[in-house]
Amino acid sequence: MGCPLYFLILLALGVHADTCNAKTRPQTPLTGKNVLILHAFESNVPIFELTDRGLRKSLDAGGVGIRNQFFEYLDLARNPVPEHRQRLVELLLLRYASRKIDLVITLYQEALQFALNEARDIFPEVPIVALYVPLGFEPPQMTQRIIRQIVAPDVKGTLEVALKLVPEAKRVYVATGANPMEKSLENSARKDFKDWEGQLEFRYLSDLPLEGIIAAVSSAPPDAIVLFMGFAADVTGKNYTTREVGKMLGEVSGVPVFGLHDVSLGYGIAGGSLISFEYIGTRAGELAVAILKGAENVENIPSVLQVPHVPMFDWRQLKHWNLSESALPKGSIVINKEPTLWDFRYYLLGGLAFVIAQSFLIAGLLVQKRRKRSAEESLRQKTEELDQFFSVSLDLLCIANTEGYFLRLNPSFERVLGYRREELTAKRFLDFVHPDDLVKTQDAVSTLASQRRVISFQNRYRCKDGTYRWLEWTSASTGNLIYAAARDITERLKREAEAAQRSQELAHVSRIATMGELTSALAHEINQPLTAILSNAEAAKRFLAQADPDITEVRQILEDIVRDDRRASDVVRKVRTLVKKEMPGDEVLDLNKTIQEVLGIIKGESLLPGLSITVELSPELRLVRGDRIQLQQVILNLLLNSVAAMRDSPQTQRKITVKTAMADGASASVSVTDAGTGIDENDIERLFEPFYTTKPEGLGMGLSISRRIIKAHGGDMGASNNPDGGATFAFTLPAHPGDPS
Amino acid sequence: MTEEEHYVYVVDDDTPVRKALERLLRSAGHHAITFGSAPDFLDFCHPDAPGCLILDIKMPRVSGLELQDRLAEKGISFPVIFITGHGTVPASVKAFKAGAMDFLEKPFEDRELLDAVSRGIEKHRRFRQEQSELKRLRTRLDTLTPREREVFRLVVAGRLNKQVAFELGTGEKTIKVHRGRVMEKMGAQSLADLVRFAEKLGIHSSAG
C-alpha cells in the first residue's frame, strides 16, 4: 500500500524539481565570452532599467554570467559636449582594450553611432545588437554584423483594445511629448486614427506644456479615454520620463488612460498593446547568446529583431474604471492582480499534487493504521479468546522455561494442586514432582529443551495438602519456553485400577461359575477316591478285628488309601488354583501343557456320558506369554461350551477335539471342535457379548470373559461352524519372541 | 451273616473304588463279585443264590440306570443299591421308579452300605422263597382236574358246599369229595391255607 503512495510523492516532488532545474540550469556555459551593453543615456531611466533586467536575466540563463556582462551608461543626453565623448572613449579604451568583448548590445541610435564611430577600434568586428533604433534608420555598410531592433509602438492595437474595454468612448485624448521621435509617432498615429473617423473625436495634446496636458486630461468628459503615447520632453523642451508623466495623468484623469509602454504600466495607465522593454531586453539577450554560441551563423540571422507587442494591463486600473477583464485580448498580461487561485495554479497544482500525495499517504497510513488496529483488535480478540480458554480450561495449562520455572499458569493449577500461583512460580517445578518421577521428568525436560515434543508423559505432582496427583502432560517447546498442557488423571487411574480389579473379580466370579458348572464332575472326581478311602479303611478295620488278620491285605489297603488320598487332594489342588483369586501372572507357557492340565481336572465321561475328548497337540507349537490360570480358564470355558452344545446329541456322537497348531509362524492357535448343534450364524458375534447365552443355566459370561482374556494377551478369539456339523471355537496368542522353536 | 450262600455284585468303572468295595464287603462276610462295566455284568452267569447289586449310576457307555432297565428286561431281579458321586434328583427318582432299593451318595459310611446290602440280600432271599412257593403251588395247581379247579375257585370265594353243588349242578356229597381232593393236592391244612394259596396264585372268584 505504501509503495504507490511514496511513488506519488516522489512523482510530485520530481516534477517540481524538474521545473526548478529547467529554470536554473545553465545551458552550455559560454565560458569567457564577454558581452558589453552600451547605453546611450543614464542608467536610472525606467526604460533602461527594464531593458537591463530582461538582458541580465536572459544572458545569465544563456551562460553569460554577471562577471561577463559589462554595462556602460554613456549619459550622452546630459553631457552633449565633445570632451565628454572623448573622455568616454578613453575610459572605454582603458576598460576594454585588454579585454575581448565578443558582442555589443547598444541602446538607442546614439549608442550605436558611438560604438560605430568613436569606439570603433575598441570593439572591432564585434557583432552588434542595436536596440531602439528608429524606423528608417539604416546603419552604414560594414563588415560588422548589426542586428537592429526598431521601436514601433502599437498605437492602433492599443486603441482597439481600449475601445473594447470602453465601448461607450466617444473621444480620445492623445497625450504625448513633443520631441522629434514623439512628434513622428503622433503623425503616424493620426494616419492610423483615420479608421475611426466619424466614430471618435481625437484631441491631440502635444502642443501643450505638461501642465496644460494635465489640465486637459483632468477635465476630460466621461465619454473620453486618454491615449498616452510616451513622454520624453514637452513642447517647452522640458525633459520627463514616460513613467512619471503617465503617473501624473493617471492621478488626475477621470477616465481610463491607455498607454504604449510597459514602463507606465502600474504607474497610472490601464494598459494597452504595449512595447515591453523588459521583453525586448530578454529577446536581445537570447539573441546575443545564440550568436555567441555560434549555434546560428550570424549571417543567417535576420538583420531586424522583431519583438511583438504585448497586451498588458493593470488590474487595479481595470477595477478602478470597472473595465471588464473578459474583454481583454487573449494572452494579456495583467499586473497588480490581486492574487486569485488561478495565479497560484502551478503552486496550487504542485501543492495539490502534494496534498493529494499526502492525502494518499495519510489515507494509506490511516488504512494501515486501521488495518493495524483491526489486526490489533483481532489479535486482542484472539488473545482474549485464548486468555478465556486459558482461564476456563479444566486442564492445567502453563508456560515454563527450560530452567525449570513456571512463567504463566492457568487457574486449574491452583484448583488441582491447591497452591497459590506465587507458591508455584517461586520454586522450580521439579520441586513439586514426586521423587520417584524426578528422573523421568528431567528426561522429559531435556527432550523439550532439544525442541522435541513430549506427549502422554505422566508424573505425580505434590499438592498443598501433601497428597500427590497424577498428571498427564503434552508439551512442546519454542526456544527455552515450554508450552504444556496437563490433565489430572488421578481419578482416571483410580477408576482404571478399580476397573482392572473388577475385571479380575469378574474373571474370578466367572471361574467360580465355571466351577459351579463343573460341580457334579468335580464331585465325582473327588468322591471316587474318598469313597475308596473310606471303604478301604472300614474293610481294614474289619480285617484286623478278625482272629487271624491278613496283614498283607491290610498293608495293601493302606497303600491304596494313601494313593486315593493323593488322588483326591490332587483334584482339590487343581480346583483351588482355578478358583483362587490371584493377581494376573505373567509367565512363559506351553499351551500344550496348559491344555493337558485342564484335561487333568476334567474327564470327558465325567462331563457328559459318552463324551470322548481327543487331543491333537502340535509338537511345533511355540511358547506364549501370559497368565496360566486365565488361559486354563479359557480352555475350560471352551470345553464346557462344547459340552453344553452336545448335551442333546446321541452319546455315540459326543466328541470334542482339542487341537493346537502354529498359525502364520508367529502365533499359537488352540481350537476346540465339537460335534454339537452348531451356532446360529447370526449369533456368532453375539456369542462373545456378556450375558448372551443359549444355555438355560448359563450366565452368559464364559465366552465374553474368555475373549477378553485372550485380547488382553494380545490375541484374538473367534467361532465358526464346521462343514460336517458342530462348531469350532479357536483362539490365537502371539508366540513368545524368545522362543524360536 | 446268613447261613445261606449269597453274593454281592459291584459294578463301578473306578477300579480303586471297586477294589475298596470288594474288600469292605468281604470283610463283612459277603461274597463280592466286581465288574468294571455294565456289559461285563450282563455277560456274567450269576449263580442261583440270594444277592444284591451295587451300581455306580455314572458310568461310561452303559450307565447304572440303563443296566437296571436291561436287567428288568431279562427278569433278573437283584435288589439294586445305587451309589453316586453327586446325586441328582432326576436320576434318583428314575432309579427308585425302576425299583432301586437304596440310593447312596459317595462317600458313604460302611454301615450304610452294609445295612443296605443286608436288607437287599434279605429281600432277595424272601423274594426267592416266595418265588419258589409260588412255583410249588403252581405245580400243585397243575395237578387239579378242571372240576377241582372250579371247586377251588368257588370255595376260596367263600361259597358253601351246598351253593357250590347248586352252581355246578351236582350233589353236595360229590362236592365234599372234590373239596377234600383239592385240599390234599394243594397241601392245604385248612380253608385259610387254601384261600392264601389262591391269593398267591392270583385266583379270584368270578362269581361276584
Side-chain angles (χ1 to χ4, degrees):
Chain A
M1 176 62 214
C3 289
L5 199 65
Y6 300 135
F7 174 74
L8 266 176
I9 293 168
L10 283 175
L11 197 68
L13 293 175
V15 165
H16 191 61
D18 274 353
T19 43
C20 290
N21 288 346
K23 277 178 187 167
T24 55
R25 189 196 304 135
Q27 289 156 6
T28 324
L30 295 165
T31 321
K33 298 280 186 183
N34 298 317
V35 173
L36 174 66
I37 295 101
L38 201 57
H39 277 264
F41 309 111
E42 59 269 44
S43 65
N44 55 352
V45 176
I47 290 175
F48 310 152
E49 283 179 346
L50 284 178
T51 310
D52 280 352
R53 192 194 294 175
L55 280 168
R56 283 197 193 98
K57 213 160 64 184
S58 56
L59 284 173
D60 198 40
V64 180
I66 291 167
R67 302 280 166 227
N68 299 98
Q69 299 172 9
F70 297 88
F71 289 86
E72 295 295 342
Y73 301 89
L74 301 176
D75 209 358
L76 297 173
R78 292 189 293 193
N79 303 288
V81 292
E83 195 190 346
H84 176 249
R85 295 181 77 99
Q86 190 56 48
R87 291 285 175 86
L88 281 174
V89 171
E90 285 166 13
L91 179 65
L92 291 176
L93 259 177
L94 185 66
R95 284 182 173 168
Y96 303 105
S98 58
R99 224 181 231 116
K100 185 176 180 292
I101 294 298
D102 299 289
L103 189 134
V104 175
I105 296 169
T106 61
L107 284 88
Y108 291 96
Q109 192 180 346
E110 289 83 348
L112 174 64
Q113 281 169 337
F114 183 85
L116 292 175
N117 299 315
E118 288 95 335
R120 188 180 55 224
D121 299 325
I122 306 172
F123 317 110
E125 305 298 317
V126 175
I128 297 172
V129 176
L131 303 180
Y132 312 144
V133 290
L135 190 67
F137 173 85
E138 281 300 324
Q141 280 297 313
M142 309 184 63
T143 50
Q144 217 169 347
R145 182 66 180 165
I146 299 167
I147 296 115
R148 287 166 293 156
Q149 188 269 324
I150 297 153
V151 180
D154 188 12
V155 179
K156 209 171 164 182
T158 297
L159 182 60
E160 283 169 355
V161 167
L163 291 174
K164 270 194 185 156
L165 289 168
V166 192
E168 66 279 10
K170 291 285 180 276
R171 299 162 217 273
V172 179
Y173 280 49
V174 182
T176 183
N179 82 355
M181 250 180 92
E182 287 158 348
K183 275 291 180 190
S184 128
L185 181 64
E186 191 186 287
N187 287 334
S188 84
R190 284 176 189 262
K191 287 172 199 157
D192 291 337
F193 294 155
K194 294 244 192 286
D195 294 353
W196 287 279
E197 222 168 311
Q199 299 171 39
L200 293 171
E201 186 187 314
F202 293 89
R203 187 173 169 196
Y204 300 95
L205 305 173
S206 58
D207 294 340
L208 297 172
L210 182 61
E211 294 77 26
I213 294 170
I214 288 168
V217 166
S218 63
S219 60
D223 61 348
I225 54 169
V226 176
L227 184 61
F228 174 57
M229 302 209 295
F231 210 101
D234 69 357
V235 75
T236 62
K238 205 170 173 184
N239 287 327
Y240 297 94
T241 67
T242 303
R243 178 176 288 175
E244 63 184 332
V245 175
K247 196 175 172 188
M248 289 176 203
L249 295 177
E251 279 169 4
V252 299
S253 176
V255 294
V257 179
F258 293 91
L260 300 178
H261 310 96
D262 65 354
V263 285
S264 304
L265 193 68
Y267 294 91
I269 66 166
S273 180
L274 305 184
I275 292 171
S276 170
F277 295 103
E278 187 177 344
Y279 188 42
I280 290 167
T282 302
R283 290 297 308 277
E286 286 168 1
L287 178 64
V289 168
I291 292 166
L292 289 175
K293 275 185 179 170
E296 290 180 73
N297 197 325
V298 179
E299 309 303 321
N300 296 337
I301 297 172
S303 58
V304 176
L305 172 64
Q306 297 282 0
V307 180
H309 301 99
V310 185
M312 295 173 90
F313 300 90
D314 185 344
W315 189 80
R316 287 185 201 143
Q317 290 283 329
L318 297 178
K319 281 280 158 201
H320 178 71
W321 301 117
N322 198 24
L323 305 179
S324 167
E325 211 174 331
S326 61
L328 299 180
K330 218 175 169 184
S332 293
I333 291 170
V334 178
I335 68 156
N336 287 335
K337 190 171 180 181
E338 283 176 4
T340 65
L341 286 180
W342 183 245
D343 297 300
F344 297 105
R345 60 190 179 279
Y346 297 111
Y347 297 99
L348 280 173
L349 278 176
L352 195 64
F354 181 72
V355 166
I356 289 169
Q358 206 174 27
S359 303
F360 272 115
L361 181 65
I362 290 167
L365 290 173
L366 285 174
V367 167
Q368 274 185 335
K369 193 179 176 189
R370 180 179 295 182
R371 282 192 180 177
K372 192 181 166 201
R373 192 185 296 167
S374 123
E376 279 170 351
E377 174 63 18
S378 86
L379 185 65
R380 192 189 60 74
Q381 218 166 345
K382 283 200 179 103
T383 308
E384 203 170 282
E385 285 170 7
L386 284 178
D387 280 350
Q388 286 290 346
F389 282 129
F390 192 74
S391 45
V392 302
S393 170
L394 290 174
D395 286 340
L396 290 76
L397 304 176
C398 70
I399 302 171
N401 59 21
T402 46
E403 284 85 62
Y405 287 94
F406 287 122
L407 303 178
R408 212 180 150 192
L409 297 158
N410 76 338
S412 287
F413 264 93
E414 299 178 313
R415 180 176 53 75
V416 171
L417 298 178
Y419 297 101
R420 277 177 297 110
R421 195 175 299 247
E422 305 77 59
E423 294 176 296
L424 286 165
T425 51
K427 284 202 256 178
R428 283 160 57 88
F429 55 72
L430 286 174
D431 294 337
F432 298 98
V433 173
H434 193 286
D436 294 349
D437 298 338
L438 209 50
V439 173
K440 66 172 181 175
T441 305
Q442 281 166 335
D443 287 349
V445 172
S446 304
T447 305
L448 286 168
S450 62
Q451 309 297 305
R452 278 175 293 154
R453 294 176 75 91
V454 170
I455 54 168
S456 302
F457 172 75
Q458 299 183 354
N459 64 6
R460 278 162 289 179
Y461 262 66
R462 193 178 56 254
C463 300
K464 179 104 176 174
D465 61 9
T467 60
Y468 282 91
R469 308 288 297 175
W470 275 101
L471 301 181
E472 185 175 60
W473 297 85
T474 296
S475 320
S477 60
T478 304
N480 72 333
L481 290 182
I482 299 171
Y483 300 87
R487 185 161 291 180
D488 181 4
I489 55 164
T490 314
E491 296 305 319
R492 194 185 87 198
L493 290 180
K494 213 159 114 189
R495 278 198 303 275
E496 280 172 3
E498 282 168 4
Q501 199 185 339
R502 268 204 299 278
S503 163
Q504 217 176 304
E505 279 168 2
L506 192 58
H508 175 232
V509 166
S510 154
R511 283 201 294 277
I512 291 170
T514 306
M515 285 301 126
E517 290 179 40
L518 280 175
T519 309
S520 86
L522 286 174
H524 188 75
E525 290 298 315
I526 293 168
N527 286 335
Q528 289 299 97
L530 287 182
T531 307
I533 289 165
L534 201 52
S535 301
N536 272 325
E538 292 297 340
K541 266 166 74 184
R542 282 168 204 279
F543 284 135
L544 287 174
Q546 285 166 7
D548 185 14
D550 182 348
I551 297 302
T552 317
E553 169 107 67
V554 171
R555 185 178 296 122
Q556 199 104 59
I557 288 171
L558 288 174
E559 275 168 18
D560 282 355
I561 287 175
V562 169
R563 188 204 61 207
D564 286 331
D565 190 272
R566 286 214 178 103
R567 183 178 150 204
S569 57
D570 227 30
V571 174
V572 170
R573 189 174 43 76
K574 283 175 187 168
V575 168
R576 199 172 50 207
T577 55
L578 253 181
V579 181
K580 206 159 63 177
K581 194 167 142 189
E582 272 185 347
M583 286 301 287
D586 184 22
E587 52 186 302
V588 177
L589 297 167
D590 180 357
L591 280 174
N592 287 342
K593 220 171 127 193
T594 310
I595 289 166
Q596 278 161 340
E597 282 164 356
V598 174
L599 293 174
I601 302 171
I602 53 163
K603 302 251 164 32
E605 194 62 45
S606 62
L607 289 169
L608 201 63
L611 175 65
S612 72
I613 298 177
T614 314
V615 285
E616 295 175 21
L617 303 179
S618 163
E620 271 97 50
L621 196 72
R622 283 172 60 183
L623 302 179
V624 297
R625 220 190 150 86
D627 180 69
R628 196 166 50 87
I629 295 168
Q630 287 190 351
L631 293 177
Q632 282 181 350
Q633 184 188 350
V634 171
I635 294 163
L636 188 57
N637 282 341
L638 292 186
L639 286 170
L640 292 177
N641 195 62
S642 294
V643 167
M646 293 190 294
R647 221 171 273 287
D648 298 330
S649 311
Q651 288 205 10
T652 49
Q653 288 175 23
R654 293 174 177 173
K655 186 172 151 62
I656 291 175
T657 307
V658 181
K659 217 184 279 186
T660 61
M662 282 306 293
D664 64 49
S667 43
S669 84
V670 175
S671 63
V672 177
T673 304
D674 65 54
T677 47
I679 318 155
D680 185 342
E681 290 289 340
N682 300 323
D683 288 343
I684 282 193
E685 265 316 298
R686 294 192 56 210
L687 281 176
F688 298 100
E689 289 174 14
F691 305 111
Y692 177 81
T693 181
T694 53
K695 294 182 263 177
E697 73 280 19
L699 252 184
M701 294 302 289
L703 285 174
S704 119
I705 285 173
S706 296
R707 171 125 101 173
R708 213 155 73 190
I709 289 170
I710 293 301
K711 293 230 170 183
H713 280 76
D716 203 1
M717 177 179 275
S720 61
N721 279 318
N722 305 326
D724 51 351
T728 296
F729 284 77
F731 65 85
T732 57
L733 288 176
H736 182 53
D739 175 37
S741 66
Chain B
M1 200 176 185
T2 47
E3 322 77 47
E4 198 188 354
E5 192 70 48
H6 65 270
Y7 299 93
V8 180
Y9 308 99
V10 177
V11 182
D12 195 319
D13 61 318
D14 191 291
T15 311
V17 173
R18 208 161 61 227
K19 209 166 150 192
L21 288 181
E22 188 272 332
R23 280 183 184 131
L24 179 61
L25 291 167
R26 186 150 51 80
S27 71
H30 296 291
H31 239 99
I33 302 170
T34 62
F35 303 89
S37 71
D40 286 354
F41 177 69
L42 285 171
D43 291 346
F44 176 72
C45 218
H46 47 274
D48 181 20
C52 81
L53 179 58
I54 298 172
L55 201 50
D56 186 4
I57 208 165
K58 211 173 214 170
M59 280 186 300
R61 301 208 294 284
V62 183
S63 75
L65 289 172
E66 284 175 298
L67 181 58
Q68 192 185 18
D69 291 344
R70 302 256 189 104
L71 290 173
E73 283 167 20
K74 290 180 79 171
I76 301 169
S77 56
F78 292 117
V80 179
I81 300 163
F82 277 107
I83 53 171
T84 178
H86 184 75
T88 54
V89 175
S92 50
V93 168
K94 203 174 164 191
F96 277 115
K97 273 187 175 169
M101 199 198 80
D102 253 313
F103 196 93
L104 298 177
E105 202 170 320
K106 291 182 196 171
F108 37 76
E109 291 297 320
D110 62 330
R111 261 290 43 111
E112 289 182 77
L113 181 72
L114 293 176
D115 286 354
V117 166
S118 296
R119 280 198 301 276
I121 302 265
E122 194 50 44
K123 189 180 174 191
H124 195 225
R125 195 192 305 281
R126 271 202 312 275
F127 176 74
R128 280 171 57 88
Q129 281 170 356
E130 277 172 21
Q131 286 296 310
S132 63
E133 190 184 14
L134 188 62
K135 204 177 167 186
R136 203 174 53 240
L137 288 174
R138 283 220 175 98
T139 314
R140 286 177 189 166
L141 188 63
D142 288 345
T143 60
L144 299 182
T145 62
R147 196 67 175 185
E148 285 167 352
R149 282 192 188 216
E150 289 289 301
V151 173
F152 182 28
R153 186 179 59 85
L154 291 169
V155 166
V156 297
R159 301 284 198 281
L160 298 174
N161 287 345
K162 197 165 57 182
Q163 287 171 310
V164 173
F166 177 75
E167 275 188 37
L168 296 177
T170 180
E172 199 176 348
K173 216 170 174 173
T174 311
I175 292 304
K176 250 185 177 167
V177 174
H178 283 308
R179 186 173 169 164
R181 212 166 276 163
V182 168
M183 292 280 277
E184 188 189 344
K185 278 184 177 176
M186 290 305 292
Q189 306 295 319
S190 62
L191 179 64
D193 277 350
L194 204 60
V195 169
R196 193 164 52 87
F197 292 159
E199 249 172 45
K200 279 188 179 170
L201 286 165
I203 295 167
H204 302 287
S205 168
S206 54

